[in-house]
Amino acid sequence: MFKHAQLESVKAWVLDPAHGALPLHARIQRAIRQLILDGALEVGAPLPASRALAKSLGLSRDTVEAAYSQLHAEGFIERRVGRGSFVSERAQRLRGRGTGRRPAALREPLRLSQRGSAMFRGGGVRDFLAPRPFAPGVPETRGFPLATWERLERQVLKDWGTTALLHSPPQGMEPLRRAIANYVNLERGAHATAERVLVLTSSQQALTLCATVLLDAGDRIFVEDPVYHGARKAFDAAGLECVPVPLDGEGMRVEPLRKARQPGKAVFLTPSHQFPTGATLALDRRLDIIEWARQHQAWIIEDDYDSEFHYAGKPTACVQGLDPNQRTIYIGTFTKSMFPGLRIAFMVLPPELVAPMTAARTLLDGHSAPIPQLTLARFMEGGHFGAHVRTMRAVYCERRDALELLVRRHLADFVEPEVPDGGMQMPCRFIRDIPELEAMGAAQRAGIDLLGLTPLHAAGTSRAGFLMGFAAYAPKELETAVKKLAQVLRTLDR
């Protein structure tokens, strides 16, 4: 028979408001199962008769019978005709049985693969789920034309019907691939066709595919220094040897690629707005890198993550459009230009890479959801995407200028801003001896998200500082946050 403590435990489960969504018989069943898992009920221990337990709990016998029937079906108890219900002998083999009472020191250490360890050490790509100033790379979504998007989505459902509920082709829906090809050809000077576009869920997925499909563990890849943290972590996780290449005001320097004793298999670039410096890769260097890739049969991985937002004239044409050798993989995303919840990115691939990349993609997540793809295609074809980008370009330019003034007014004693010609974030370098990591932590506790610059550098000679994202925050919000940050840094500077 149950001991008093065991009966009280079952009562607590039944009465706990946290379990209110469960029917009563399920609460009883889970309470008894937990007692068995914890070792509080030994193998062979009798359970109270269903009538007696029902009376103790103030419930109907049918409710308890339903709980016992489920426990029996799952193998936790045995029901013997004329004798009652008992904890099953099979419970002795439950792997988790009694672990709640086992000392933590006896647990086996975590063992991961080399790639798993690399991912875990890197901590993943830092995500800013609820945007707080100054989370970088977060777009403004409050002014997004939701009514237009909703109307186009209704049109998709009307025209496609239940077909839109099926799987998408792994390469992506043809209308979206065609719209993407037309867009990057017109706006970015690319050479793309719908057949060469692969639709993905994120640019991070694209980087992972490049790292695993194009290169083997141990292969060398040249990367910008500093470099986008998501790319570095994708390459590290794939076991690649990342070789940092220094930058100057015109982007990645080409001499280290030419003079490297051991040539790399690929080079990673953010040529339109280098992350995090904001530098634009000069035309002659783009051509030099294209020639280097041709000579060494290497790949150029071009991440064009926010080229739509250039504030001083038109952005420079993409590297892919300049490459006659078809050695460039162009990566784009709608996370920055539209909204993060859309989860659509893409690659423009050399023709011979389309089939292997598409096959590899099916092993990661199969396909992208058809309805958002088809809605985005109509959004682009109808001119709404271009109009939205133009609107947001003006908004972000105003916010960049506002942030520069605020930094110079309130943070001039601590940092020097490096005002970018484009993009969605502004690098700021410390001019005082303030520990970067300590500043990041203190700012976060004050409700401010900053991305430190030092971890983005492979060389240890960089000046400490942080990135300040400005796109998602109105001038008044920026002002409030800058003043709060000034208080944080003033405290650390004592």
Side-chain angles (χ1 to χ4, degrees), residues 140-176:
E140 175 62 85
T141 57
R142 290 169 291 190
F144 185 79
L146 273 177
T148 300
W149 185 265
E150 183 182 14
R151 175 173 57 82
L152 294 174
E153 188 172 75
R154 287 200 305 269
Q155 290 179 7
V156 165
L157 292 173
K158 180 180 178 181
D159 293 345
W160 286 74
T162 56
T163 306
L165 307 181
L166 302 175
H167 288 77
S168 161
Q171 192 177 340
M173 301 297 285
E174 196 275 338
L176 178 57

Side-chain angles (χ1 to χ4, degrees), residues 29 33 69-77 90:
Q29 178 254 336
R33 183 180 66 180
S69 295
Q70 185 62 29
L71 287 166
H72 175 66
E74 293 180 3
F76 285 95
I77 67 172
R90 283 178 284 183

